[in-house]
Amino acid sequence: MASEQLRLRAGGAVARRQLVSRVSRYLFLGATVLGVSILGFLAYDTIDSGASRLSLDFLTNYPSRFAEKAGLRPAMYGTLWLMLITVFSSIPIAIGTAIWIEEFAPRNRLLTIVKINLANLAGVPSIIYGILGLTIFVRFYGMDRSLLAGGFTLALMIIPMTVIASQEAIRQVPPSLRDGALALGATRWQAVRHNVLPNAIPGIMTGTILAISRAVGETAALIMIGGAAFIHFDPGPNLADFADPGGFWAGLNESFTVIPIQIYAWTLDSRREFQANASAGIIVLMTGVMALNLLAALIRERFRRN
Amino acid sequence: MTVADPGNMNEALKKRQFGKPRESVILFVLTLCAAVSLVTTLLIVGVLVRESATFFEEVSFRDFFLETEWQPLFEPVSFGIWELVAGTLMVTFWALLLAVPIGLATAVYLSEYAHPNTRKVLKPILEALAGVPTVVYAYFALTFVTQDLLRPTFGADQVNVFNALSASIMLAVMILPTIASISEDAMANVPRDLREAAYGLGATRLEVAIRVVFPAALSGIIAAILLAIARVVGETMIVAIAAGSTPQLTVNPFEGVQTMTGFMLQVGLGDAARGTVDYQALFAVGMMLFLITLAFNVAAYFFVRRYREEYE
């Protein structure tokens, strides 16, 4: 009978404590939803104000005094070339560093210093990297305010992040694979090259792509080394330059702008109608950043199952 | 097949392991790669020290640290760093005031309340906030927060177009994932036994979260907040766009301030000629910024290590 059932229901102070606990769930949930919904709201607000400016012309036009005619073309070329330079100059060094730390380094104080140093470099503000690039690449090596100087600066900036992610990936490879290879007479490099690296590649790629997505959005460091806002040519080598090393090199030494700098310039433009351009620029930038993040997530998921 | 003589075998192995020139070349190249990060640090420190030395030849330490006015561009010039430091402090204060409670509440919810499936959905979305380029947040600080939120709410005569609060609000959004994610990791690392013991003694979920898990994860939580502070102090675009470029000592968040990074970007935009004192000031301020962020990062590193040692 229902009336005879044992009822485990607290009263008094205990009931109060339980009630407080139950209510607290919704408070914490509220805070979480607030954080998550900000992302949704920002996306909505951007699309609301920028979508109308988004068109093929917007992607292929040069900057202009007129908001409706201004476009993102040089900035897109600049971002693309800058990322290529950054990737090719940073990835080999980052992976090499990670391999050295995990597989070859003597386990002594030097290694501890290298590791602490990397952790700190990852936390150095990007504008400091900008100053470094300005002094070393732009001035000391006389690269001027070129794509190469920008790419190298970003490379220095993302190397620490990429190293830390690659280390993580190398550590995830079961030691038995390496030990097996060594037991069969492989040299240390052979074991790394044929057994460790192939299994660490997905993790390394994930970390690298995330680091690149950070570099794509970098603004302050590039303003420091002199990325200009308004450029009326396509930065970087043209299609014809691919056959001509001299022209290719000259292309890499051209001055540049990137999408985030263009957004920055449009945001601060005193004419309000340029804010719509900034929104449209943000849509383009975020599409790129999200595509990179999605790619990283896909690679991670795909190789986790195997 | 005959069994090889062990002596020869050792010779052969040795040859294979160390005799090949290729192996040592590779080791050399890898070591060079690792040296790049050390050289980067040395270059950063070298550049900052050398160039700020030039600055301090013109401006004394005394003026830099004791003057209260930062006025590098107009006569009479004055280089008192405190106005910039105060600007940085103000935006950091408000950003933390907003982000720490919300971030920690999120961490508690994800770690102690949420169903594992809910957590699996919410955490990546939250972490996506960390991937948003800061120039995007800067745009929102100036347009949405200032134009659509603060000025209509508090009155356009009260709220400056460039104000510290709008920058702080977007800085808070920027560091929310850092605080939530690292704290959540620390809380999730607290051993189950502690929770089970508390539940066994009759504690409610809230009591377990606040009085057992939270203290046990404290070093991780502190590390999260320290890292967040370092990021706010070093963030440039949000403050440069939304907080303005008027260095001043004020406690009113509706007024514009200039932060250390804000000044550095202003110089980078080309206001000062190379070799002049105001250009060299860039490096002195950079040095200050570097030391402050370094202090917070190092402190965070040791707190992270402590909680790793405690439970892993």
Side-chain angles (χ1 to χ4, degrees):
Chain A
M1 294 289 117
S3 58
E4 285 167 23
Q5 231 170 7
L6 180 64
R7 289 169 64 97
L8 275 177
R9 178 153 231 179
V14 175
R16 216 167 26 246
R17 281 169 50 211
Q18 287 178 341
L19 180 71
V20 171
S21 177
R22 237 173 290 139
V23 171
S24 74
R25 162 183 281 269
Y26 297 99
L27 267 174
F28 292 132
L29 175 65
T32 310
V33 169
L34 182 68
V36 172
S37 56
I38 289 174
L39 192 65
F41 179 78
L42 295 187
Y44 162 78
D45 193 58
T46 315
I47 293 170
D48 186 49
S49 61
S52 57
R53 284 289 299 116
L54 210 58
S55 65
L56 200 60
D57 281 349
F58 181 71
L59 299 180
T60 55
N61 277 3
Y62 291 98
S64 160
R65 289 183 290 127
F66 306 103
E68 322 80 57
K69 283 190 188 160
L72 214 49
R73 177 189 175 113
M76 292 193 6
Y77 271 99
T79 293
L80 214 63
W81 277 108
L82 209 58
M83 287 310 115
L84 282 176
I85 297 169
T86 306
V87 166
F88 281 108
S89 53
S90 72
I91 304 308
I93 295 176
I95 297 179
T97 306
I99 294 175
W100 183 80
I101 291 175
E102 292 299 319
E103 304 285 339
F104 289 91
R107 298 281 177 260
N108 60 18
R109 188 173 292 169
L110 177 67
L111 182 65
T112 318
I113 293 175
V114 170
K115 280 182 174 171
I116 293 184
N117 179 47
L118 278 170
N120 283 324
L121 275 183
V124 170
S126 61
I127 195 161
I128 302 269
Y129 282 103
I131 294 190
L132 181 68
L134 176 70
T135 317
I136 302 295
F137 298 130
V138 177
R139 304 236 190 270
F140 187 74
Y141 283 111
M143 291 183 188
D144 258 339
R145 321 197 136 201
S146 64
L147 277 170
L148 274 182
F152 290 162
T153 305
L154 290 188
L156 288 184
M157 192 184 91
I158 68 166
I159 282 175
M161 287 180 247
T162 319
V163 171
I164 292 167
S166 306
Q167 272 180 267
E168 201 71 40
I170 292 173
R171 236 178 285 141
Q172 303 283 322
V173 177
S176 55
L177 285 175
R178 179 186 313 112
D179 297 346
L182 290 174
L184 288 173
T187 63
R188 269 159 97 188
W189 171 246
Q190 284 166 340
V192 170
R193 169 75 186 73
H194 298 288
N195 298 66
V196 177
L197 265 192
N199 287 287
I201 284 294
I204 294 178
M205 277 171 67
T206 310
T208 305
I209 293 170
L210 290 178
I212 297 167
S213 88
R214 180 73 70 83
V216 168
E218 182 51 43
T219 322
L222 293 177
I223 290 182
M224 285 315 289
I225 70 150
F230 299 103
I231 277 190
H232 290 268
F233 57 90
D234 301 335
N238 299 50
L239 214 52
D241 292 334
F242 279 86
D244 162 29
F248 194 82
W249 181 248
L252 293 181
N253 279 295
E254 282 171 2
S255 52
F256 67 97
T257 185
V258 288
I259 301 173
I261 294 184
Q262 195 65 68
I263 294 173
Y264 165 77
W266 279 334
T267 301
L268 279 186
D269 201 302
S270 52
R271 295 157 292 183
R272 270 298 261 287
E273 64 267 27
F274 274 92
Q275 284 189 359
N277 287 28
S279 293
I282 288 175
I283 296 176
V284 175
L285 180 65
M286 285 307 294
T287 309
V289 169
M290 278 178 350
L292 286 171
N293 279 277
L294 198 66
L295 185 65
L298 283 179
I299 293 174
R300 189 168 12 194
E301 278 308 306
R302 193 190 143 88
F303 286 92
R304 181 179 288 162
R305 278 188 210 121
N306 293 353
Chain B
M1 244 177 112
T2 54
V3 179
D5 161 35
N8 278 343
M9 181 96 145
N10 276 344
E11 276 305 298
L13 265 182
K14 242 189 204 148
K15 226 179 197 167
R16 189 119 111 227
Q17 291 277 0
F18 305 105
K20 276 192 182 171
R22 198 171 149 227
E23 199 83 353
S24 50
V25 168
I26 283 166
L27 182 59
F28 179 70
V29 172
L30 293 177
T31 314
L32 275 188
C33 291
V36 169
S37 64
L38 287 177
V39 172
T40 308
T41 305
L42 290 181
L43 282 179
I44 290 177
V45 174
V47 164
L48 289 177
V49 168
R50 225 193 86 183
E51 301 282 328
S52 29
T54 322
F55 172 79
F56 284 116
E57 275 168 17
E58 305 265 338
V59 179
S60 68
F61 271 115
R62 220 189 98 89
D63 290 348
F64 191 64
F65 288 110
L66 293 182
E67 286 281 334
T68 51
E69 211 155 341
W70 183 263
Q71 194 171 298
L73 300 175
F74 317 104
E75 293 293 334
V77 290
S78 167
F79 293 93
I81 184 79
W82 293 115
E83 274 187 341
L84 297 183
V85 174
T88 298
L89 267 181
M90 168 125 102
V91 291
T92 309
F93 171 78
W94 287 98
L96 288 177
L97 198 70
L98 293 166
V100 169
I102 299 175
L104 292 186
T106 305
V108 169
Y109 180 77
L110 290 178
S111 150
E112 304 301 314
Y113 288 79
H115 188 274
N117 286 340
T118 320
R119 191 168 149 265
K120 237 187 264 170
V121 176
L122 287 181
K123 214 179 168 193
I125 297 182
L126 202 66
E127 280 173 353
L129 275 175
V132 176
T134 56
V135 70
V136 176
Y137 286 138
Y139 167 82
F140 283 115
L142 185 65
T143 59
F144 176 72
V145 179
T146 299
Q147 288 167 9
D148 302 343
L149 197 70
L150 294 179
R151 297 194 95 188
T153 313
F154 297 99
D157 50 333
Q158 292 289 314
V159 185
N160 204 308
V161 178
F162 299 106
N163 62 81
L165 190 60
S166 63
S168 298
I169 289 174
M170 284 331 279
L171 285 167
V173 174
M174 176 188 88
I175 57 171
L176 193 63
T178 310
I179 295 179
S181 180
I182 299 178
S183 309
E184 200 266 342
D185 284 342
M187 290 181 192
N189 268 334
V190 173
R192 259 189 95 88
D193 316 5
L194 288 182
R195 293 190 185 88
E196 305 284 334
Y199 282 129
L201 290 170
T204 63
R205 201 180 271 263
L206 176 67
E207 287 159 354
V208 170
I210 301 294
R211 290 161 68 173
V212 177
V213 177
F214 195 87
L218 195 61
S219 44
I221 293 169
I222 293 176
I225 296 174
L226 291 173
L227 282 178
I229 294 177
R231 286 204 55 196
V232 170
V233 170
E235 170 49 30
T236 309
M237 296 321 292
I238 299 179
V239 289
I241 289 182
S245 50
T246 358
Q248 58 173 327
L249 288 171
T250 174
V251 286
N252 182 359
F254 291 147
E255 287 199 43
V257 293
Q258 187 167 46
T259 64
M260 293 186 280
T261 51
F263 168 73
M264 290 165 73
L265 194 80
Q266 194 185 8
V267 175
L269 282 166
D271 278 3
R274 194 186 168 205
T276 57
V277 190
D278 33 333
Y279 178 81
Q280 292 303 329
L282 167 66
F283 297 93
V285 176
M287 187 79 182
M288 191 85 177
L289 176 71
F290 179 72
L291 290 177
I292 293 175
T293 50
L294 185 72
F296 280 107
N297 280 320
V298 170
Y301 182 84
F302 284 107
F303 273 105
V304 169
R305 239 185 32 183
R306 217 175 92 186
Y307 96 76
R308 291 250 162 92
E309 274 164 14
E310 273 167 18
Y311 299 119
E312 274 179 9

